[in-house]
Amino acid sequence: DAGVTQSPTHLIKTRGQQVTLRCSPKSGHDTVSWYQQALGQGPQFIFQYYEEEERQRGNFPDRFSGHQFPNYSSELNVNALLLGDSALYLCASSLSEGGRDYNEQFFGPGTRLTVL
Amino acid sequence: AQSVTQLDSQVPVFEEAPVELRCNYSSSVSVYLFWYVQYPNQGLQLLLKYLSGSTLVKGINGFEAEFNKSQTSFHLRKPSVHISDTAEYFCAVRGRYNFNKFYFGSGTKLNVKP
């Protein structure tokens, strides 16, 4: 049973460009959350998707947007990249309606984004 | 909203010595508490969690944590560390009814020396 997977592993972009990161949740999970982890910091909540809609959002600008597909996978899009967007982007999946994994989040290995 | 404070950014310790990593949280509502470990270039792995019941929680790899509501703390302990425990540890909190929105501390780097 595959856990949470993310692609790509690493990405290098220049300022002003746009980037799309992808996440496949753990089998059976229906909720995907995205976090930004800057160097030396803890993960910061960006937003969460459930039933293909953004359910909650952290303190991030509108340049950060996302999408959830019918198979529960998700994308994170960042427009007009800034140097400060360089970070490890973590995807976490969970179950919103009860079950063994309820109340837990399972994290993927992350995508390392470098903005030059 | 909730917040988490991990006072120690780095904790050096010798192999086989005990260790405690401190975590304090702030919240106006009931919370669930978690400890995660992150090895270099990897994602987060759950060590243990407190949802309800016994305030002493045991997790993987010999770690345990104690929930103290009056002191709003959730310190992580291990009686005897190994070299392989060298990693970064994150304390996290979420509101009991907040649909899995987690707030993380800034992390504590545990450096186990031989």
Side-chain angles (χ1 to χ4, degrees):
Chain A
D1 176 25
V4 180
T5 59
Q6 292 185 243
S7 63
T9 305
H10 294 87
L11 206 50
I12 299 175
K13 292 286 188 178
T14 57
R15 281 178 296 175
Q17 285 189 311
Q18 178 264 342
V19 68
T20 297
L21 310 181
R22 295 175 176 82
C23 171
S24 291
K26 183 181 175 185
S27 177
H29 285 187
D30 57 11
T31 303
V32 173
S33 302
W34 286 93
Y35 292 82
Q36 181 194 66
Q37 186 179 15
L39 201 61
Q41 300 294 320
Q44 299 290 316
F45 178 79
I46 302 175
F47 43 53
Q48 183 179 89
Y49 276 84
Y50 172 65
E51 292 188 338
E52 302 180 46
E53 291 189 358
E54 184 182 292
R55 178 159 69 177
Q56 283 195 312
R57 190 178 183 92
N59 189 24
F60 280 80
D62 292 344
R63 298 187 298 110
F64 289 78
S65 63
H67 188 77
Q68 186 179 34
F69 298 94
N71 67 353
Y72 307 117
S73 67
S74 176
E75 289 182 348
L76 164 64
N77 301 293
V78 187
N79 295 322
L81 284 168
L82 304 174
L83 295 179
D85 295 331
S86 295
L88 179 68
Y89 288 84
L90 295 166
C91 169
S93 76
S94 55
L95 201 56
S96 289
E97 298 294 335
R100 184 169 176 267
D101 291 342
Y102 188 55
N103 288 321
E104 239 181 90
Q105 287 196 341
F106 292 76
F107 285 82
T111 294
R112 175 75 62 186
L113 172 64
T114 302
V115 182
L116 302 177
Chain B
Q2 291 80 46
S3 66
V4 176
T5 301
Q6 292 182 247
L7 291 171
D8 306 305
S9 59
Q10 296 192 46
V11 173
V13 63
F14 287 105
E15 194 174 19
E16 298 183 4
V19 70
E20 178 179 85
L21 306 183
R22 297 180 293 169
C23 171
N24 288 89
Y25 70 93
S26 173
S27 177
S28 58
V29 300
S30 297
V31 297
Y32 294 153
L33 294 155
F34 305 80
W35 275 99
Y36 285 85
V37 59
Q38 186 175 38
Y39 298 101
N41 301 314
Q42 294 188 27
L44 302 175
Q45 179 184 1
L46 181 68
L47 278 177
L48 50 78
K49 61 186 176 185
Y50 172 77
L51 303 181
S52 64
S54 173
T55 57
L56 183 62
V57 180
K58 294 188 182 298
I60 63 171
N61 301 340
F63 284 93
E64 64 180 32
E66 186 157 17
F67 170 55
N68 188 319
K69 188 175 181 179
S70 63
Q71 297 187 4
T72 60
S73 67
F74 190 55
H75 300 331
L76 181 71
R77 302 185 183 99
K78 186 169 183 178
S80 176
V81 294
H82 304 287
I83 294 289
S84 59
D85 292 324
T86 295
E88 189 152 22
Y89 293 79
F90 292 94
C91 182
V93 64
R94 61 154 273 212
R96 185 161 289 202
Y97 304 106
N98 202 355
F99 298 112
N100 285 317
K101 179 179 180 180
F102 282 50
Y103 295 85
F104 285 84
S106 55
T108 297
K109 291 183 180 177
L110 177 63
N111 183 15
V112 182
K113 304 175 181 180

